[in-house]
């Protein structure tokens, strides 16, 4: 969990005398970590400053029994998360209407909404928009259609979500997820209306993104925790002054690009240590021709990962490197659904080699994998050892402020 040691864009803004405020989910270590913000309003952080300790247990992977709850908490209604999102939206509207107009310096507001996120319980008015019986079943949801790969066989034995789903529940989960997306859209619309009503609609740049997607039953997988597009592809939408309207950009971007974007859009200088960091201003990327040679990178070492997984995306191709296991290669232009793994085909050997070389420009995957496992083993040992951590169990989704975690 973030402990405040690495500088954020909020640190740079407040150091330059500009206001930076967060409302909602942050997922830092605890309330003592401000992350550079002047103020954090109703923040949500990891449990007990520790979070999901079970995710640090790797060799061998444990069975996560709490995953059963995903199939039980579905359909119309309210959850602690939908109530929390309503509170976040209310606080954002209030801040924009009451505080922002009084500020003399430029300000940046981060709003961390939770939806769509399990539990897949959606407010009735939005759930009614998506009749479950009309929902499509996830692609490749049958075991015979799953990719035969040891990394995914291991994660399914750890995250046993799919064991509790039938087709009716799959459709119900899809309807609930879509409804939560519409619930999110509604909250964002209210916040943007408040921005406009406060007189900032014409001079404020807006960036909307997410932290991850959801497999939603595809290939028998749920949640995130891998590099398929369902999990790793996220929205990135900009609006405001100097942002080209109605333009779709194909250049790969990542959340790393948000750091320079916020600094440059607010006229805040980078520190010397920032200059070597990856990332480019999204506004500059949006105004330029598409760059097919730009590389997007991601890595995963947490819950369910039998070994480190590393993703390199360049142009139409995406390589997923699994330490100690065979890689995957997908042509996202010809096969956007990632149903045809090309890694073992001789005619794509050069592409695999080129993308592997790009990966090694960024890191040594074997060294990073070993370091991650060593760090996690140290955390497990510090908290009583493997047996004690497994006995502690896990809690599913982090509870919002005022709610208690329920361990299983």
């Amino acid at each position: 969990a973030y402990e405040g040691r690495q500088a954020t864009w909020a640190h740079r803004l407040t150091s330059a005398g500009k206001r930076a405020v967060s409302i909602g989910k942050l997922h830092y270590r605890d309330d003592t970590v401000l992350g550079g913000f002047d103020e954090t309003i109703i923040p949500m952080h990891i449990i007990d400053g520790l979070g999901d300790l079970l995710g640090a247990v790797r060799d061998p992977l444990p069975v996560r029994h709490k995953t059963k709850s995903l199939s039980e908490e579905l359909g119309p209604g309210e959850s602690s998360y939908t109530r929390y999102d309503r509170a976040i939206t209310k606080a954002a509207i209030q801040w924009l209407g009451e505080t922002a107009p009084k500020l003399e310096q430029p300000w940046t507001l981060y709003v961390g909404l939770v939806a769509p996120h399990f539990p897949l319980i959606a407010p009735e008015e939005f759930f009614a928009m998506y009749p479950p019986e009309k929902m499509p079943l996830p692609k490749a949801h049958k075991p015979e259609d799953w990719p035969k790969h040891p990394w995914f066989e291991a994660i399914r034995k750890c995250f046993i979500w799919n064991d509790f789903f039938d087709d009716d529940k799959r459709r119900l989960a899809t309807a609930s997820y879509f409804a939560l997306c519409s619930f999110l859209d509604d909250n964002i619309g209210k916040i943007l209306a408040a921005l406009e009503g406060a007189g900032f609609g014409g001079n404020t740049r807006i960036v909307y993104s997410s932290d991850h997607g959801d497999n939603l039953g595809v290939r028998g997988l749920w949640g995130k925790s891998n590099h398929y597009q369902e999990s790793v592809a996220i929205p990135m939408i900009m609006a405001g002054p100097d942002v080209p309207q109605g333009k779709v950009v194909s250049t790969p971007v990542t959340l790393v690009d948000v750091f320079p974007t916020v600094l440059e859009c607010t006229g805040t200088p980078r520190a010397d240590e920032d200059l070597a960091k990856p990332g480019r201003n999204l506004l500059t990327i949006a105004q330029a021709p598409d760059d097919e040679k730009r590389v997007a990178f991601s890595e995963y070492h947490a819950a369910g990962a039998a070994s480190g997984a590393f993703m390199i995306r360049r142009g139409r191709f995406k390589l997923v490197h699994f330490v100690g296991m065979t890689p995957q290669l997908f042509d996202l232009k010809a096969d956007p659904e990632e149903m045809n793994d090309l890694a073992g085909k001789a005619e794509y050997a050069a592409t695999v080699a080129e993308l592997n070389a790009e990966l090694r420009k960024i890191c040594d995957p074997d060294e990073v994998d070993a370091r991650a496992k060593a760090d996690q083993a140290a955390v497990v040992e510090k908290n009583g050892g493997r047996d004690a951590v497994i006995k502690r169990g896990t809690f599913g989704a982090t509870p919002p402020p005022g709610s208690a975690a329920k361990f299983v």
Side-chain angles (χ1 to χ4, degrees):
Y2 180 64
E3 299 176 344
R5 288 180 290 184
Q6 296 291 329
T8 67
W9 53 259
H11 282 109
R12 298 292 181 249
L13 264 60
T14 53
S15 295
K18 298 169 184 176
R19 192 75 183 272
V21 174
S22 80
I23 302 175
K25 179 180 178 180
L26 286 171
H27 237 211
Y28 294 168
R29 183 191 62 200
D30 53 41
D31 284 332
T32 67
V33 181
L34 297 180
F37 290 107
D38 294 294
E39 184 180 12
T40 59
I41 299 170
I42 53 174
M44 183 174 81
H45 297 303
I46 66 171
I47 291 295
D48 301 329
L50 299 171
D52 179 27
L53 280 179
L54 194 61
V57 177
R58 301 283 297 280
D59 293 323
L61 295 170
V63 176
R64 298 174 67 94
H65 296 284
K66 177 64 178 177
T67 51
K68 182 180 180 181
S69 65
L70 178 65
S71 65
E72 299 170 332
E73 299 173 341
L74 299 169
E78 295 287 341
S79 71
S80 61
Y81 271 5
T82 57
R83 289 188 287 270
Y84 182 43
D85 272 354
R86 293 185 195 280
I88 293 167
T89 299
K90 181 179 178 181
I93 291 170
Q94 183 176 358
W95 193 90
L96 289 167
E98 297 177 7
T99 302
K102 300 175 184 176
L103 299 177
E104 295 181 1
Q105 290 288 331
W107 49 265
T108 301
L109 177 66
Y110 165 80
V111 181
L113 293 160
V114 180
H117 195 288
F118 64 84
L120 299 180
I121 298 172
E124 176 68 49
E125 64 197 280
F126 300 101
F127 184 84
M129 299 166 62
Y130 302 96
E133 65 275 11
K134 294 184 179 180
M135 293 298 103
L137 287 170
K139 71 188 181 196
H141 66 280
K142 297 179 180 179
E144 58 266 30
D145 297 325
W146 296 348
K148 304 301 185 286
H149 193 286
W151 199 92
F152 292 98
E153 291 169 3
I155 200 170
R156 288 193 200 91
K157 291 177 181 177
C158 176
F159 285 103
I160 56 173
W161 279 320
N162 203 62
D163 292 357
F164 309 103
F165 275 88
D166 57 22
D167 284 353
D168 288 339
K169 284 191 174 181
R170 290 184 180 97
R171 289 191 171 94
L172 182 58
T174 300
S176 300
Y177 188 85
F178 289 177
L180 285 171
C181 289
S182 292
F183 172 63
L184 169 67
D185 289 345
D186 186 69
N187 284 318
I188 292 173
K190 291 175 180 176
I191 293 169
L192 294 180
L195 181 77
E196 189 75 31
F200 297 109
N203 63 357
T204 303
R205 292 192 181 99
I206 301 161
V207 177
Y208 168 73
S209 192
S210 180
D211 52 350
H212 58 80
D214 197 297
N215 292 283
L216 211 61
V218 171
R219 304 179 186 88
L221 302 168
W222 297 82
K224 46 184 178 178
S225 307
N226 62 66
H227 289 110
Y228 281 115
Q229 290 296 91
E230 287 81 14
S231 174
V232 78
I234 57 174
M236 183 68 82
I237 303 171
M238 287 189 73
D242 302 321
V243 179
Q245 293 188 23
K247 182 179 181 182
V248 176
V249 178
S250 297
T251 302
V253 299
T254 74
L255 292 173
V256 170
D257 296 313
V258 174
F259 185 101
T261 301
V262 174
L263 297 192
E264 292 184 32
C265 285
T266 57
T268 305
R270 295 193 195 189
D272 290 342
E273 65 189 81
D274 299 336
L275 300 178
K277 292 178 179 178
R280 289 176 55 202
N281 183 356
L282 291 165
L283 185 57
T284 301
I285 293 173
Q287 294 170 339
D290 289 344
D291 183 358
E292 290 293 313
K293 295 183 179 181
R294 191 171 196 237
V295 169
F297 168 76
S298 177
E299 59 183 302
Y300 183 72
H301 306 274
S307 67
F310 300 79
M311 184 204 80
I312 289 289
R313 165 78 187 276
R314 188 185 68 183
R316 65 192 293 166
F317 289 104
K318 180 173 82 173
L319 176 78
V320 184
H321 174 88
F322 304 96
V323 172
M325 303 180 192
T326 56
Q328 291 179 315
L329 178 72
F330 298 103
D331 181 343
L332 295 180
K333 184 175 182 179
D335 176 30
E337 298 297 320
E338 298 174 293
M339 302 301 288
N340 185 20
D341 180 5
L342 305 172
K345 298 186 177 182
E347 59 267 39
Y348 291 97
T351 301
V352 171
E354 289 171 9
L355 294 179
N356 260 316
E358 292 288 354
L359 171 59
R360 282 160 175 76
K361 290 178 185 178
I362 298 172
C363 69
D364 176 343
D366 296 297
E367 187 276 330
V368 173
D369 177 57
R371 180 153 44 91
K373 287 184 174 180
D375 288 347
Q376 289 166 327
V379 169
V380 170
E381 187 62 29
K382 182 179 179 181
N383 288 276
R386 177 186 176 91
D387 290 345
V389 170
I390 291 175
K391 184 178 180 181
R392 176 179 184 257
T394 192
F395 45 82
T398 301
S403 298
K406 297 179 181 179
F407 286 82
V408 173

